Structures are given as C-alpha cells and as structure tokens.
Amino acid sequence: MNLTDYWANKLFDFQFRAATLSKPTGWWWALFTVAPTAAGGGTEATGGSYARVSIAPSDTNWYSTQGGTSGNSSGTTQATSNAVVLTFPTPTASWGEINGAGLFDAATVGNLCFWLDFAIAGIDPITVNAGEGAIYLPAGAASISFGA
C-alpha cells in the first residue's frame, strides 16, 4: 500500500515542522470498485452489508518490521502487515468488481491514509456477488511499506 498525499503531508509536518499528530484510535480497511490514488478519491464499495473492517493499532494486530508481534520494530524491511485475519461482512447484494483497497482513520467517512490500486500491484480484480462467502485477508496479506 502507498501513502496518500494527505497522510504524507501529516507525517512531514509532524516530523519536520511544528504540527502535532495523534495516532488514530483505529484503522479501517475499505474495498474500492474504482481504485483510489495518492490524491484520494476512488469509489468505495457500498450496499449489501458492506462495511469497513476495523483493526486497532496494537502489537498483537500488526507485525513489527522484523515480523514478530512483540517488541519494537528493528528490521530493515520498512514494512508492516496485519498479524490477524481481516474479514469483511458476508455480502447480501453485489458489491461489484473490487479494484482497490484503502486504509482509513475512521469507520465511516474519515481520511484515506493508505491506498492500493490492484492493477498497479498486479492483483486481479475480485467480483463480489450476493450470497458468496465473506471476503477475508489472511494474516500478513495487507502490507504497508515506507521503503522503496
């Protein structure tokens, strides 16, 4: 996943300027039928029991950069990923063709902080129809990197 312009600007102002920054109380994964970009945008899936999936900031929910769930990050990957399975609700209506994902700082509305365009990442779109099983991401599948 990539930083959005919004989140990059927040981090720069916090690290190099006088702005303060509070850690979000939670992170929410979202699915998009039109992928977002660094500028934000995109079209989030809707209807049919769709809802963002919450994952709180904690050592048990996110891997450190060296891949463990205890202790501070000390690896060289400059990346983290989910340490727990992320399960979206079972669709009761079609969500359409999912072409991207994002990480928000709120359950609804909020700010898109990280984005992923499946086409750029080489991931095939996922068509979600009513009555299909829940969409889930296994532990380690949702990677966020600050490195090149």
Side-chain angles (χ1 to χ4, degrees), residues 114-137:
F114 297 91
W115 64 279
L116 176 67
D117 181 327
F118 286 6
I120 293 172
I123 300 170
D124 291 333
I126 302 165
T127 300
V128 179
N129 294 309
E132 293 181 345
I135 302 295
Y136 73 95
L137 300 170

Side-chain angles (χ1 to χ4, degrees), residues 10-119:
K10 290 289 185 188
L11 293 173
F12 278 118
D13 284 350
F14 172 68
Q15 290 295 325
F16 301 107
R17 305 190 74 228
T20 60
L21 181 65
S22 297
K23 181 187 330 187
T25 58
W27 290 105
W28 286 265
W29 288 98
L31 300 175
F32 286 82
T33 55
V34 176
T37 68
T43 304
E44 189 171 355
T46 60
S49 300
Y50 171 79
R52 294 177 186 170
V53 174
S54 175
I55 180 171
S58 76
D59 289 351
T60 56
N61 288 339
W62 296 91
Y63 288 121
S64 63
T65 57
Q66 72 271 19
T69 56
S70 64
N72 293 330
S73 291
S74 63
T76 59
T77 64
Q78 298 183 22
T80 187
S81 62
N82 57 307
V84 295
V85 175
L86 303 171
T87 306
F88 286 87
T90 301
T92 58
S94 173
W95 296 350
E97 185 177 86
I98 305 301
N99 293 296
L103 194 58
F104 282 86
D105 61 3
T108 59
V109 188
N111 300 293
L112 180 64
C113 298
F114 297 91
W115 64 279
L116 176 67
D117 181 327
F118 286 6

